[in-house]
Amino acid sequence: MAKVNYHTHTYRCQHAKGDVEDYIQYALANGLTTLGFSDHTPWVYEDGYISPIRMRVDQLDEYVQTINTAKIKYDGRIQIFSGLEVEYHPDKLPWLIDLATKHGLDYMILGNHSYPHDEYGSPQCHDFFAIHDIDDIHLYVDVLTKAVESDLFSCIAHPEVFMRGYRKLDDTARLAFEQIITLAKKHDVVLEYNLNGLPFDHLYGIHTYPHPLFWEMAGKAGCKAIIGYDAHFPEAFEQWEDEYQKGMDLLKHCGCTIVDTIPLGKYKK
Ligand SMILES: [Zn+2]
Ligand SMILES: [Zn+2]
């Protein structure tokens, strides 16, 4: 099993450090054979909203070009792919799909962070990082279902991320786990075991995400799993070696089918 990562950010999203080259250096030094970049997608906001957690629309060209240059430079040493981490925001997606096709993007991963947009603070915006009630869990699963059915995404990043806010392993959470796993199995979509959630376990003293029960259930269902660093700083590939190994052990123990590739080329012309 090759050591890979398809979930890498860059400084452009305003809450990560380092650029493409920095991540490649650490990836090479730590034995990764594939590095996919999936920075937070830009969105167009009709009302002029400026997101503090994404690249700007006018940075996308340069982002993809930087990755494409690195693909050539590092050819034969490490495989580089261009991607984005994208929410299921239906009104905005057609615009993004056009751009992804224009750029020949290699893939998109689903980051189900918000719905139907991410203008945090607006009453219409549901923030899935901060879910506290059952209705929002139902909405989270509903949106995730629509996203998977759209067939736009190569992987579901942090599928159980709602546990960051919800933090209760009750019947509602268990049912949501089951629904997400059934969906992933039905559509043969890869689930990501997200290393970036582990610090919240320490912060709250409980499991948030990745959640051991979720992966136990995913293994029993025979789901495909991949480890994602969700790297927001280049040193993650060095500093999270233990977490990576423990994650691999857990996924094996649970009986998940661990994969080191995700579907590529959906957006090639
Ligand atoms: Zn981020
Ligand atoms: Zn991410």
Side-chain angles (χ1 to χ4, degrees), residues 207-257:
H207 290 300
T208 56
Y209 75 96
H211 198 288
L213 179 67
F214 180 88
W215 294 99
E216 195 186 311
M217 291 166 67
K220 278 195 186 124
C223 285
K224 286 183 183 166
I226 196 163
I227 293 196
Y229 284 79
D230 197 352
H232 284 74
F233 59 104
E235 299 84 355
F237 302 131
E238 184 176 285
Q239 292 178 11
W240 293 357
E241 180 59 20
D242 274 4
E243 285 80 358
Y244 177 87
Q245 291 304 337
K246 281 181 193 156
M248 286 298 261
D249 290 346
L250 181 108
L251 293 177
K252 275 181 209 156
H253 176 78
C254 290
C256 291
T257 304

Side-chain angles (χ1 to χ4, degrees), residues 34-50:
T34 296
L35 188 60
F37 287 89
S38 56
D39 211 355
H40 295 281
T41 188
W43 289 124
V44 173
Y45 301 94
E46 303 295 335
D47 59 2
Y49 177 78
I50 295 169

Side-chain angles (χ1 to χ4, degrees), residues 7 28 88 95 165 187 198 220:
H7 196 160
L28 280 168
Y88 189 74
W95 167 82
H187 292 270
L198 291 168
K220 278 195 186 124

